[in-house]
Amino acid sequence: MARTKRSRRSYGAGEWGRNRVRVFPDPKTGLFQIEWRENGRRLTRSLGHQDWTRAKKQADEFAAGFVGPDLNGKAEAEPEPLTLEKLFDIYGEEVTPTKTERVQHRDRIGTRMFLDFLGRDRRPETLSRRDWDRFIRERRAGRIGPSGKPVSNRTIELDLRFLIAVLNWATKSRDEEGRLLLDSNPLRGLKTPKEKNPTRVVLSEEEYQAMLGVSRQVDWRFHVAFVLAHETGHRIGAIRNLRWGDIDFEGREVRWRAEHEKTGYEHVTPLTDEAVATLEKARGSGDGTGNAPVLPSSRDATRGVQRASVFQWWRKAETLAGLEPKPRRGWHSLRRKFASDLMDLPLKVLCELGGWRDAQTVLRCYQRPRAGQLRKALDSRPRVRA
């Protein structure tokens, strides 16, 4: 059976970059559409008929006088221009609530900062390389931002990634009339500043033993969290949100829920003897059953311990252990220790144990060979004796 080809004809009037107008039939309804650009946005309206001659005439008249096309004999109201304030409001209502509490807080701070810096009435399509470079200079110098202090390239990178995410989302989202919020991202392709030599501290075995020795003096929940972070290699955010229902004592396994994993990756990993012993003892300190949290909050026993508390515990443990303060030595240094201690494992196995989805991230940011490993590698090199 022969296939019927739809008409692909279209008609253009006016000049490119000034008053270009195009009419074409809708492939579904056959009604002619008229398309034009205004302030960088592509706008489309239905002419409400299938008369080719009439559609071309309307395009000529529209291009000549640049008046809106008539729909059923009435002029359609112009769409309200999209401003940065409106765009961030829409993003904050529809996208931000789907993120974790910590990221939601960061989104709100970033929103206020960009609106104050770029202007609430600024049109998104007018953003340029000059705005990008100016933000980097001012943020780096501490002249903008909530702290009022100079920040690192890493912080600036996170700020700009948020701005790019909002603009990219706008290019894929439509308003109630089916129009794209933004035709294209005006900042697409611009490079964010990078840390040349980022500091990624790995907790040493000596430091771990020193903090472990004082962990119970800090809080029994800190001791549990500290051991689990060392034995499982998982982020503290996932650990403090564990529920007793996630622990399988018989199978000696733990389930890591997707909603508490940074990567959204739900998986199950085995537990070591040290982890099982610590958890069994912790069951006697709390509810220990069902959906109760493994590390309950002091304020609300039905919820996991707050993020601020675990970081306060860490600083207290460092002090009690007599460790000299070291920038960026925190919970993540245990995750790096886990990756470095198990460096001899196949990457696929290590990634599954620690919840990494990208092996390159492990190689680039987590594993750090120790001096003893380097010496052992050199000593094991095959040699030909003369």
Side-chain angles (χ1 to χ4, degrees):
M1 181 177 177
R3 297 177 63 184
T4 301
K5 291 186 177 180
R6 291 186 180 271
S7 173
R8 294 179 179 273
R9 63 181 176 177
S10 66
Y11 175 76
E15 299 179 11
W16 289 105
R18 191 170 72 88
N19 63 339
R20 184 67 174 175
V21 178
R22 186 172 74 98
V23 291
F24 57 92
D26 186 294
K28 293 183 179 180
T29 66
L31 299 177
F32 282 106
Q33 307 283 316
I34 185 166
E35 179 185 85
W36 73 100
R37 283 186 175 273
E38 184 175 329
N39 296 325
R41 296 182 66 192
R42 184 170 62 246
L43 304 177
T44 305
R45 295 288 185 276
S46 173
L47 295 177
H49 62 78
Q50 296 179 329
D51 188 329
W52 178 235
T53 303
R54 180 183 170 192
K56 291 196 295 182
K57 181 180 179 181
Q58 286 179 303
D60 289 332
E61 292 174 348
F62 185 33
F66 215 75
V67 293
D70 292 337
L71 302 177
N72 299 323
K74 298 181 180 179
E76 184 170 346
E78 290 295 323
E80 182 181 348
L82 180 70
T83 63
L84 279 177
E85 182 174 32
K86 184 176 180 181
L87 174 57
F88 275 105
D89 283 346
I90 298 172
Y91 186 90
E93 292 176 359
E94 300 182 10
V95 183
T96 297
T98 65
K99 304 179 181 181
T100 63
E101 291 183 8
R102 181 186 178 189
V103 180
Q104 288 183 40
H105 178 66
R106 195 164 63 206
D107 278 9
R108 289 190 288 269
I109 292 176
T111 295
R112 290 194 296 269
M113 179 173 59
F114 281 116
L115 289 180
D116 291 342
F117 179 74
L118 298 171
R120 297 178 179 274
D121 296 328
R122 181 77 177 271
R123 302 286 291 274
E125 63 270 15
T126 66
L127 297 177
S128 68
R129 175 65 182 264
R130 294 177 63 192
D131 298 303
W132 182 272
D133 292 341
R134 187 164 60 94
F135 175 82
I136 293 174
R137 289 195 303 270
E138 298 297 300
R139 188 77 166 105
R140 184 178 285 150
R143 288 188 284 268
I144 57 174
S147 68
K149 300 178 181 179
V151 298
S152 66
N153 282 343
R154 175 58 176 167
T155 300
I156 298 173
E157 179 186 4
L158 293 175
D159 293 337
L160 291 174
R161 280 186 179 181
F162 169 61
L163 177 61
I164 290 296
V166 174
L167 296 175
N168 282 339
W169 176 82
T171 63
K172 300 175 183 178
S173 303
R174 299 179 182 272
D175 61 16
E176 292 76 6
E177 301 297 327
R179 299 181 295 263
L180 285 172
L181 295 177
L182 195 62
D183 284 337
S184 61
N185 183 346
L187 303 179
R188 181 181 179 184
L190 297 182
K191 294 183 178 181
T192 58
K194 302 287 186 180
E195 291 285 348
K196 293 183 178 180
N197 297 296
T199 303
R200 297 189 175 107
V201 178
V202 180
L203 194 72
S204 69
E205 182 63 26
E206 293 75 15
E207 291 171 331
Y208 171 71
Q209 293 298 334
M211 292 182 68
L212 182 64
V214 299
S215 59
R216 290 186 177 86
Q217 300 177 40
V218 177
D219 193 288
W220 71 265
R221 293 167 297 178
F222 172 74
H223 174 74
V224 175
F226 193 67
V227 172
L228 288 180
H230 182 267
E231 297 300 315
T232 68
H234 278 68
R235 298 177 180 86
I236 186 59
I239 292 171
R240 66 186 182 85
N241 282 291
L242 280 175
R243 302 275 169 169
W244 286 113
D246 299 325
I247 310 298
D248 178 4
F249 284 97
E250 184 176 347
R252 299 169 63 85
E253 293 179 334
V254 56
R255 175 169 66 100
W256 304 97
R257 303 190 190 192
E259 61 265 34
H260 302 311
E261 283 288 313
K262 180 180 179 181
T263 58
Y265 174 45
E266 183 158 321
H267 56 289
V268 176
T269 61
L271 290 170
T272 63
D273 293 340
E274 291 82 355
V276 171
T278 300
L279 287 168
E280 285 179 339
K281 190 170 183 179
R283 275 201 292 186
S285 302
D287 190 312
T289 60
N291 199 43
V294 174
L295 306 174
S297 169
S298 300
R299 298 179 180 178
D300 184 356
T302 64
R303 303 186 63 182
V305 67
Q306 294 180 325
R307 181 173 180 270
S309 297
V310 295
F311 283 93
Q312 290 172 1
W313 291 339
W314 180 279
R315 290 192 291 270
K316 184 176 180 180
E318 282 184 320
T319 302
L320 290 175
L323 299 181
E324 290 292 330
K326 183 183 294 184
R328 301 191 183 184
R329 182 214 281 139
W331 287 98
H332 227 61
S333 65
L334 275 172
R335 187 161 164 81
R336 297 189 188 99
K337 182 179 187 298
F338 182 85
S340 299
D341 287 348
L342 301 180
M343 188 177 294
D344 293 336
L345 288 179
L347 268 176
K348 180 65 177 177
V349 176
L350 176 59
C351 288
E352 191 65 25
L353 286 174
W356 287 283
R357 302 197 73 171
D358 183 5
Q360 291 302 315
T361 301
V362 178
L363 292 172
R364 184 175 64 253
C365 304
Y366 287 92
Q367 289 187 332
R368 292 289 182 276
R370 294 183 293 274
Q373 290 176 308
L374 298 177
R375 173 58 60 188
K376 182 179 179 181
L378 283 177
D379 292 343
S380 64
R381 181 183 180 185
R383 299 180 183 279
V384 178
R385 301 297 180 183

